[in-house]
Amino acid sequence: MLFLGKSKFISKLIVVTGVTFVLFACKSSDNLFKTEQHTLTSPDGLIALNLSWESTTSPQFSVFFDDKSVVLPSDIDLVSPGTVATEHDLVLLSERSVDETAPLTWGQFEDLKSRYNEARFKLIDKQTQSVISHLEVRVFNDAVALRHVLEAKAQSTTKTFKEVTEFTLAHDAKVWSNNGMKPTKQTASLLRSSNENLAIPIAFTSSQMPAIAFQEAGRVDTGMIKLKTVSDSAKVVVASAPLVASDTSSATSWRVLQLGKTVGSLLTSQVLISLSPPNQIEDTSWIKTGKSFWDWRVRGEQYEDHTYALDNESLRRMIDFASNNNMQYVMIDANWYGPEHNAKSDPFTEIDGLNIKALINQANEKGIGFILYLNDKASVNHDLDELFETWASWGAAGVKYGFMKLGGKDKVIKTLKIVELAAKHKLLINFHDSPVIPSGMRRTWPNWVTREAVHAQTDGLYTYKPSGFVEMAHINALAGPLDMSNGFFKLDGLKQSRDYVREEVYSTVASEVARSLIIFSGLIIFPDAPEEYLGKKDLFEFLENMPATWDESMVLSSDINEHIVTARRTGEEWFIGAAINEAGGTLPLKLNFLKPNQTYLAKIYADAPNTHYITNREAYEVITREVTQSDVLKMHLAPGGGQAIWLKPIKKGK
């Protein structure tokens, strides 16, 4: 069998090859407890979640971080629309502590480390003692997670519930939220907001509280949730479609409240992965992360006697360059099998003059995977299972899937069905054009390597300035791997020379290199032409040697209003990326995370002294020096600029 079912935890010590679970004995009872409150703390004791059901109609929860109030008592409940409100209580069923380590197919870390304390309750109608749901809560060292599990009901007793999940913050805060294909949405004051809809991921920043982020995890068969602000209060409420308890058991996704010193500190959290179902693909040996060329943004550019277009020669050039420069994939975009938005276009063939099978064969012979674009319109007249089987027989490595028009629950279900079909035929998947927001399901389906859940560079009729990148690197990237298509090396005259570059790219070439490292993705898409990378080969060296999966990742410094500095390790080597807003500036970089008593060779790919994100974008310099753990580097970042650093240990005697 291809797929494994591993979704149930067992409350005892389990030893599985490569995975160690330490599950402490559960305390359980089916009897009502005299106390009508319960406190659950994080393993490190820094976060406390208090549940109370003694004096209100609905149970309430509150959250404390480092003994300071973060969430004031807030309702958490399920109610039947149109019925008279009755008091709902909680009954504690069990508690456990989990310390789990499991290998990851790929990611920001080599292993998944899940540490949390959990409690399970029955949510009951106090008057009738009937069970409404099972409420599950988990407290991690950096998050609180809650969800309802609905048991199967006979068809005659099918019920519909409205979710009541509120978050009343202890203090006013600025709100940052995902804004689709536009720059991040900002609300200056939660208290002064007026019934606004907020799309996840969402962050709240305040000088009086830790940084807070709200997301969902383990989304399987429910629509993406939103938060809605409440006028004249620091309260937000979950806005979700009605829940139905029917003849099959179901559950909401996890509602996740992340807490940290800064928003940047939450970017490497493993909470969303931990809360998602385990890997469902038995053999993952074929799943390879990597870096890919992309023909779309290059079309129309001329170099000497060649103009890039949707043709064999353009793709061959990219395949050759990928093969010679440590790239793993080449991706062909829209219209290769006909007009993409025309349902009559046949994805089982190609346009006249294009030989897609020969291109795939050429790529595979050189060790390069070939990724094929597919518009959702093709699913109208064609069976995707048959199509994916055909593409796999051609030797394709993956699918870029665009423009799914569904919404709500239907979009989530179709997305996961496509991911599963792709896994069945050993194809990677990359969703574009307003896909569902990541929720940790890359753990369940590790062939789901990235998605454009972000305003990608040059896309649409909107663009963002350097501060916009910093904001999206903090907000959109909270949810998981993103295809932002950073890495332009031609910045001057780009819009004028390319068919599908619709807006200027406000960046510097050093920042473009750094951004490719900062934005985590299982498939890193490079949008420029081989000639541009060859023309700046000393700068391209960083991207050439940078992998797409990591042993360790950390955000060394961040300010959502100003900058972000990210470091990632593979083996003994470190790759660092820094990006800053329009003001530019100097950032200190402490190297205290390096090994002691070890000297490293630092290659620094930096803005030149006169670089500017508008007037002098392509100026850069490459500097080499030796460093140790005790060093502090001064990173000089131009206005709108950035810096990348590659650290390699120097072997003794060399």
Side-chain angles (χ1 to χ4, degrees), residues 14 59 117 166 170 202 211 231 267 303 313 358 379 416 426 584 593 612:
I14 308 172
N117 292 324
E166 303 175 342
I202 303 163
S231 296
L267 290 167
Y303 295 94
E313 177 58 25
S379 68
L416 289 175
K426 297 186 176 180
F593 57 90
H612 192 280

Side-chain angles (χ1 to χ4, degrees), residues 554 556 589-596 628-632:
M554 64 180 74
L556 301 176
L589 177 62
K590 296 181 180 180
L591 299 180
N592 53 5
F593 57 90
L594 298 178
K595 283 186 178 181
T628 65
Q629 184 193 52
S630 61
D631 284 318
V632 178

